Amino acid sequence: MESIIRINNAADISVIVLYFLIVLAVGLWAMYSTNRGTVGGFFLAGRSMVWWPIGASLFASNIGSGHFVGIAGTAAAGGIAIGGYEWNALIFVVILGWIFVPIYIKAGVVTMPEYLRKRFGGKRIQVYLSVLSLIIYVFTKISADIFSGAVFIQLAIGLNLYLAIIILLAITALYTITGGLAAVIYTDTLQTFIMVLGSFILMGFAFAEVGGYEAFMQKYMAAIPSNVSYGGTEVDPACYTPRSDAFHIFRDPISGDLPWPGLIFGLSILAMWYWCTDQVIVQRCLSGKNMSHVKAGCIVCGYLKLLPMFIIVMPGMISRILYTDVVACVVPEVCQRYCGTSVGCTNIAYPKLVVELMPNGLRGLMLSVMLASLMSSLTSIFNSASTLFTMDIYTKIRTRPSEKELMLAGRAFMLLLIGISIAWVPVVQSAQSGQLFDYIQSITSYLGPPIAAVFLLGIFCKRVNEQGAFWGLIIGLLAGLGRMISEFAYGTGSCVAPSNCPFIICGIHYLYFALILFGVSAIVILAVSFMTKPIPDVHLYRLCWALRHSKEERIDLDADEEQDRADEKDDESVNEENQEDPGCCRKAYNWFCGLDQQKAPKLSKEEEEALKKKLTDTSEVPLWRNIVNINGIILLTVAVFCHAYFA
């Protein structure tokens, strides 16, 4: 790799150091001021969040450094269509806040698999979903984010890749493991602010450099690399000339790189899986004070999601204009020299822009933005993954854990996750090149649709039962894995050297494949459900859309287990009263890790009922309800307008 301007001036370094100090301060403040000694406090921020941190945190958890590297790279290669990915979310945050979250809150759940257990009964779906979500986290989100963050650090500071990763993870882990969800949500809010500010400044510099929007459109179409032949062979012009439809979101359904039916329907299925059923996102919403705050948070996130088209996608394309030979290289040897992979260098589009264009001091700010987005998405994922593990998997292994044991298990699991993620980086490094963003998207489109089908049908069709859901998930998983494994076995190839995977397996675009997979899963779920016994309504009150307003007592399908657990808790509390006071060092350690729960007063049955009622309450003040509803409608209108304008 060519050596680039290192960050070696006082201004940049002091900005970065200052930035990290502020983040740690915010994290420690959140740690000090919130209740994280209980499972609800650590994992759900004590259900006390207001609307603006929810919205900012949703946005920050979604936009990782993988977005800055991957989306800008794809945009440099193929134009603005990738921005449609971001705008699709505008519609789904509204669906999340108005349809899905009220059901989850009424059900009184902490994790998504827990909802499925209440809705369908049995343990196998819950365990299946927890394990699958953890696998998806490690293989797509964590490793891709770590990799792209490391690309950045490598470009800017010239540290060894692994050293950079370990330093990053150490800081991240420090405040996630100790601070719980409240620390994560507040630091996310700070980082969203810095991320948006920094990338706006960079957008300004980039457009100034190109000479405005009109010039940008002309110059992008003419950004062709100078070196296009190697070893006497000419590279096919289709590989290096910008696409003729580069400035359209909707592209030809058969020959387009992101076909429009796939972008409207296939992507909606992935968006529903990601925005409405994914632990990372839903957990942010469940921490809201009341329903109006959750909806307002979703709207804030929706408006923020308008920005990536302008602050990530277009700068990525400008990077191709300014550094055509590097970013748009096609000759394998040349690419190897510029960025260390032979398939293409679009991944370095955004980092290159930052390192070359920004003045001293601001360059440090942008690097901190990258680290911020990396850390915020990592902390979110670590927190959610450990929630999944402790609530859904660990409680199956140990039937009677105390709160303290659950907290320790969650933190130990985070450390394990960090280890696995570091070990997986070389794999992502080799699956690098144009494949980073495609790698994430294709894995989600092979594994996500069956989960989306189960949640959608589980909420809207009360006839669906456990057998149907389980077989739908299994058959969907087998189909998706079949496609995924064969694709990785053949390799995805590049334009210069295409892969020889048979058309029947790899020829179908992954967005179309997501549609087909969703359809197949849904048919299996419905068919099996209608052949087996339905679940009586008494188990479904307030778990489905049709029964969402019923006032009757719900008998949970897992009621016997819950009762056993409650009895054990009573025995435990008797044992805990006889323990002696800890010493000073022990107290400090307990405080740092949030284990020093002040013994909460034992609640009577009536108080417990009242608390449960408060936590599962979705009522809203009419005035605020109307205000968020009107804003929701405005947001949907904006979404439609944006799609139409750039179509």
Side-chain angles (χ1 to χ4, degrees):
M1 284 181 64
E2 297 193 336
S3 63
I4 314 185
I5 318 164
R6 306 272 181 249
I7 289 198
N8 52 9
N9 50 14
D12 282 340
I13 292 171
S14 50
V15 167
I16 293 177
V17 171
L18 183 74
Y19 169 76
F20 275 105
L21 289 176
I22 294 176
V23 168
L24 276 176
V26 171
L28 286 167
W29 168 77
M31 213 166 117
Y32 189 78
S33 64
T34 55
N35 157 27
R36 57 204 173 88
T38 62
V39 173
F42 184 77
F43 291 133
L44 284 187
R47 285 261 160 102
S48 61
M49 281 293 157
V50 285
W51 58 276
W52 52 273
I54 296 176
S57 178
L58 283 172
F59 180 70
S61 316
N62 167 242
I63 299 274
S65 50
H67 271 69
F68 280 101
V69 171
I71 287 190
T74 308
I80 66 169
I82 195 74
Y85 271 66
E86 299 303 296
W87 285 351
N88 198 281
L90 294 178
I91 297 159
F92 279 86
V93 286
V94 174
I95 293 177
L96 167 73
W98 270 258
I99 295 178
F100 283 83
V101 173
I103 299 270
Y104 297 146
I105 290 182
K106 284 192 163 126
V109 294
V110 178
T111 69
M112 295 299 90
E114 192 186 348
Y115 168 76
L116 289 184
R117 192 190 69 210
K118 280 191 191 302
R119 169 68 178 81
F120 296 117
K123 286 183 180 164
R124 51 189 190 169
I125 294 184
Q126 190 186 5
V127 175
Y128 164 96
L129 192 65
S130 308
V131 173
L132 187 65
S133 306
L134 289 175
I135 292 173
I136 293 179
Y137 284 157
V138 174
F139 291 145
T140 61
K141 296 184 178 159
I142 301 182
S143 35
D145 269 353
I146 288 181
F147 166 71
S148 44
V151 166
F152 241 95
I153 297 178
Q154 227 180 353
L155 261 173
I157 311 177
L159 279 179
N160 171 339
L161 193 78
Y162 289 96
L163 186 66
I165 288 170
I166 289 165
I167 295 173
L168 256 178
L169 286 174
I171 298 178
T172 309
L174 186 74
Y175 72 83
T176 315
I177 289 180
T178 53
L181 187 65
V184 174
I185 288 188
Y186 282 115
T187 45
D188 272 356
T189 310
L190 172 75
Q191 285 164 351
T192 306
F193 179 70
I194 295 182
M195 229 151 63
V196 172
L197 189 72
S199 20
F200 258 115
I201 296 172
L202 179 60
M203 177 182 76
F205 276 109
F207 272 111
E209 189 75 19
V210 174
Y213 189 74
E214 292 298 318
F216 155 63
M217 291 176 76
Q218 282 156 4
K219 289 181 181 168
Y220 178 78
M221 297 317 265
I224 295 174
S226 53
N227 189 348
V228 293
S229 60
Y230 64 103
T233 50
E234 283 281 320
V235 177
D236 175 14
C239 291
Y240 56 80
T241 40
R243 299 182 57 93
S244 55
D245 53 10
F247 287 93
H248 301 286
I249 292 184
F250 293 141
R251 301 185 172 177
D252 188 276
I254 294 151
S255 63
D257 55 342
L258 290 171
W260 69 261
L263 200 67
I264 296 179
F265 303 110
L267 191 59
S268 297
I269 288 163
L270 300 188
M272 184 171 73
W273 167 76
Y274 180 78
W275 286 99
C276 304
T277 70
D278 187 273
Q279 181 68 24
V280 178
I281 298 295
V282 174
Q283 195 179 4
R284 301 282 166 286
C285 289
L286 293 181
S287 67
K289 232 179 191 163
N290 58 35
M291 222 32 243
S292 300
H293 277 291
V294 174
K295 289 179 179 176
C298 289
I299 290 169
V300 171
C301 176
Y303 282 123
L304 286 172
K305 287 291 277 179
L306 282 171
L307 301 176
M309 176 67 106
F310 307 104
I311 60 180
I312 302 178
V313 173
M314 289 178 179
M317 296 165 73
I318 291 177
S319 183
R320 171 170 180 154
I321 299 173
L322 301 179
Y323 316 110
T324 310
D325 286 347
V326 180
V327 175
C329 69
V330 279
V331 180
E333 293 83 67
V334 178
C335 292
Q336 188 73 42
R337 193 173 79 235
Y338 282 132
C339 64
T341 82
S342 53
V343 200
C345 284
T346 51
N347 266 344
I348 66 168
Y350 202 86
K352 182 94 178 145
L353 210 56
V354 172
V355 178
E356 304 277 338
L357 272 190
M358 296 293 256
N360 293 347
L362 280 177
R363 193 184 297 122
L365 179 76
M366 272 318 277
L367 186 73
S368 357
V369 168
M370 293 291 89
L371 301 183
S373 68
L374 171 73
M375 285 168 49
S376 67
S377 37
L378 283 182
T379 45
S380 309
I381 290 163
F382 284 149
N383 187 283
S384 301
S386 72
T387 311
L388 276 178
F389 174 77
T390 34
M391 302 310 228
D392 294 327
I393 298 173
Y394 190 75
T395 47
K396 301 282 176 289
I397 306 168
R398 291 263 314 174
T399 40
R400 313 175 174 182
S402 63
E403 289 249 313
K404 190 168 184 174
E405 189 184 331
L406 281 179
M407 312 285 291
L408 282 172
R411 294 181 163 113
F413 182 71
M414 269 186 210
L415 291 173
L416 176 73
L417 262 188
I418 291 169
I420 297 175
S421 319
I422 294 179
W424 189 250
V425 167
V427 183
V428 183
Q429 214 179 340
S430 60
Q432 206 192 48
S433 78
Q435 294 161 26
L436 177 72
F437 205 69
D438 290 343
Y439 160 86
I440 303 175
Q441 290 306 333
S442 55
I443 288 190
T444 41
S445 47
Y446 305 150
L447 302 179
I451 304 178
V454 165
F455 273 96
L456 192 69
L457 292 171
I459 285 178
F460 285 109
C461 171
K462 66 179 194 189
R463 181 67 180 76
V464 171
N465 60 14
E466 200 265 354
Q467 292 88 339
F470 180 72
W471 288 110
L473 284 173
I474 293 295
I475 287 172
L477 178 71
L478 292 176
L481 280 178
R483 160 91 190 236
M484 186 172 105
I485 292 166
S486 54
E487 194 166 284
F488 279 121
Y490 281 106
T492 41
S494 69
C495 181
V496 181
S499 88
N500 52 0
C501 180
F503 179 82
I504 187 96
I505 302 176
C506 304
I508 302 172
H509 192 279
Y510 61 83
L511 291 174
Y512 287 152
F513 184 80
L515 260 176
I516 297 168
L517 188 55
F518 181 82
V520 169
S521 306
I523 291 167
V524 172
I525 293 170
L526 291 170
V528 177
S529 294
F530 278 107
M531 286 182 219
T532 46
K533 282 212 290 274
I535 300 174
D537 275 3
V538 69
H539 298 308
L540 298 180
Y541 293 131
R542 295 179 302 288
L543 290 179
C544 312
W545 188 248
L547 302 171
R548 67 188 186 281
H549 292 314
S550 67
K551 296 277 181 284
E552 285 127 86
E553 180 73 18
R554 178 176 76 229
I555 303 173
D556 278 333
L557 287 164
D558 53 356
D560 342 334
E561 294 167 46
E562 296 286 325
Q563 194 47 51
D564 295 349
R565 268 183 226 161
D567 296 346
E568 276 135 27
K569 278 267 158 56
D570 294 344
D571 304 345
E572 256 164 39
S573 53
V574 177
N575 303 344
E576 278 178 11
E577 278 160 22
N578 313 335
Q579 293 166 352
E580 69 281 1
D581 263 3
C584 287
C585 300
R586 181 79 196 163
K587 265 187 176 150
Y589 164 78
N590 278 349
W591 175 80
F592 185 67
C593 292
L595 295 174
D596 61 328
Q597 310 113 305
Q598 283 70 33
K599 289 276 173 284
K602 202 68 183 109
L603 298 175
S604 66
K605 277 274 184 279
E606 291 75 39
E607 288 171 316
E608 260 186 8
E609 286 299 312
L611 183 71
K612 196 169 174 189
K613 203 172 163 80
K614 180 179 168 291
L615 288 182
T616 55
D617 172 42
T618 55
S619 61
E620 299 175 76
V621 182
L623 170 72
W624 291 115
R625 187 179 64 210
N626 294 337
I627 290 178
V628 290
N629 284 348
I630 291 166
N631 270 302
I633 293 167
I634 295 173
L635 181 63
L636 291 178
T637 326
V638 170
V640 173
F641 171 77
C642 286
H643 277 92
Y645 184 77
F646 283 101

